[in-house]
Amino acid sequence: MSIQDSITWCRGLLPRLSVNRKLKTVALHPTCSTTHLGLNRDLKTIASFLADTTMVPVGTTCCGTAGDRGLLHPELVVSATRDEKAGLDASPAQAYLSANRTCEMGLRHATGQPYESFVFPLEELTRPS
């Protein structure tokens, strides 16, 4: 049995997939977990497969969600992402992607942008017509 992170598994699928239409710009938020596991390069490869331009906004660090902490104390996320939000406000994207649901929820609240898992646009943009 082999257990793989969804990023690793999806990265392995890319050679067999075709994108029907590319997004213009994707804002990517690497999480603490993806950083710790060394998966940021693969996550960026997936995002670049989907978009002409992939950016990690200046000031992107830990979003402060920390599991359920950001749900109980949303002010932590707002404070932790203030620089990232400024970067997003200055350079809006067509999609806002990450790889952790609670981070995406915290980022959505703190930045006002519709963060979602990279898996959703990967499936949508490679779906056979």
Side-chain angles (χ1 to χ4, degrees):
M1 179 186 329
S2 174
I3 299 173
Q4 293 184 328
D5 186 270
S6 60
I7 296 169
T8 303
W9 185 73
C10 289
R11 172 64 178 93
L13 295 176
L14 296 185
R16 298 187 302 273
L17 297 174
S18 298
V19 175
N20 297 323
R21 68 175 170 82
K22 276 199 155 193
L23 299 170
K24 285 186 176 190
T25 305
V26 166
L28 190 61
H29 179 89
T31 66
C32 296
S33 296
T34 60
T35 301
H36 178 74
L37 293 170
L39 296 173
N40 289 344
R41 178 176 287 169
D42 284 346
L43 183 60
K44 189 167 186 177
T45 298
I46 294 167
S48 296
F49 182 75
L50 301 173
D52 294 327
T53 303
T54 300
M55 67 168 179
V56 176
V58 174
T60 299
T61 59
C62 176
C63 68
T65 302
D68 68 348
R69 294 292 90 190
L71 302 175
L72 299 171
H73 303 283
E75 66 276 8
L76 293 174
V77 183
V78 171
S79 178
T81 60
R82 67 185 174 278
D83 292 337
E84 185 173 1
K85 181 181 180 337
L88 293 171
D89 290 346
S91 298
Q94 192 174 2
Y96 300 84
L97 305 179
S98 191
N100 177 286
R101 186 63 191 130
T102 55
C103 294
E104 293 154 16
M105 291 166 58
L107 288 162
R108 184 179 284 245
H109 168 76
T111 68
Q113 302 301 339
Y115 272 91
E116 65 179 350
S117 172
F118 71 94
V119 174
F120 295 115
L122 178 62
E123 186 279 326
E124 180 184 344
L125 296 173
T126 61
R127 186 182 305 153
S129 299

